[in-house]
Amino acid sequence: MDQHQVRWALLKISFVALMGSSWIFTSFIFGTQPTDSTDEIESDDALVSLVRIPASLPGQLPGQLPKLLMAQTQPMEPIRMDVVKLPCWDLPEVAEQPISSRWVRLTGRPCQSGALPESIEVNNLANGYSGTVFATQKDAMTTDFIPLEEGNNEIMVRIGQADGVAFENRFVLVKAAAE
């Protein structure tokens, strides 16, 4: 075999290899095209099952669509937030106080200690919510908005001093039922 024949044989082999790899590549690309969202893909090929288009998502969740539409048509209860001023957090003043809001913020100060106490706990015993207390001035404090349940909400304020003395005040906020 001379050099010319070897070159011709290598050219034929290269051409066959190129055509084979092109055929494999095109069959892979065109074989994994996304399908229409109404078609169901039933294939054992892992790559085919991974290819999805975003429009096919609602078709895969038919049971969820009525729930989403129903949630949008129901009227929402307006969010009402009130601020309740307690002049003295460590002295019981009012046993029960009616309120119509879903959320309440307590403001005031400790009267017996004079300065800001060592620790303050504010808890809604009806639902277990522990409020966060913030100092607003030299001796004034406020809480974050505390969620209320319908009916009686017993609020416990516990104020601890550095000398180990603790004051506890409990009062009830009565939330009216939503109309």
Side-chain angles (χ1 to χ4, degrees):
M1 240 165 121
D2 65 348
Q3 230 179 8
H4 181 64
Q5 290 175 336
V6 171
R7 286 183 184 166
W8 185 249
L10 288 175
L11 184 62
K12 287 179 185 178
I13 292 172
S14 299
F15 182 72
V16 170
L18 179 63
M19 291 305 292
S21 62
S22 297
W23 177 76
I24 291 170
F25 179 74
T26 56
S27 66
F28 173 77
I29 295 297
F30 291 114
T32 59
Q33 285 286 326
T35 59
D36 187 22
S37 63
T38 59
D39 295 342
E40 291 292 325
I41 297 176
E42 295 181 12
S43 174
D44 293 332
D45 186 13
L47 290 175
V48 172
S49 65
L50 289 176
V51 176
R52 298 283 188 261
I53 56 176
S56 67
L57 186 60
Q60 295 171 358
L61 302 172
Q64 299 297 323
L65 193 56
K67 293 177 190 175
L68 294 173
L69 293 175
M70 182 64 83
Q72 292 176 354
T73 59
Q74 294 176 349
M76 291 181 54
E77 179 183 343
I79 299 173
R80 297 194 51 202
M81 299 179 170
D82 280 339
V83 176
V84 174
K85 180 156 177 49
L86 298 174
C88 294
W89 282 21
D90 47 5
L91 296 175
E93 293 186 12
V94 179
E96 285 189 4
Q97 183 173 350
I99 194 159
S100 60
S101 298
R102 173 77 174 99
W103 300 82
V104 68
R105 170 175 274 168
L106 304 177
T107 61
R109 63 183 186 89
C111 296
Q112 292 184 5
S113 62
L116 286 179
E118 180 81 16
S119 67
I120 303 172
E121 295 176 28
V122 176
N123 296 313
N124 183 350
L125 301 178
N127 59 13
Y129 183 84
S130 295
T132 305
V133 180
F134 306 98
T136 57
Q137 297 173 357
K138 179 182 174 190
D139 63 347
M141 297 174 294
T142 186
T143 64
D144 57 346
F145 281 98
I146 299 170
L148 299 177
E149 301 294 322
E150 287 185 7
N152 292 344
N153 290 272
E154 186 176 4
I155 308 295
M156 183 204 48
V157 178
R158 189 169 199 287
I159 300 174
Q161 300 294 336
D163 57 1
V165 177
F167 300 99
E168 190 173 287
N169 183 11
R170 291 177 185 236
F171 59 95
V172 177
L173 297 175
V174 181
K175 182 183 179 303
E179 297 175 4

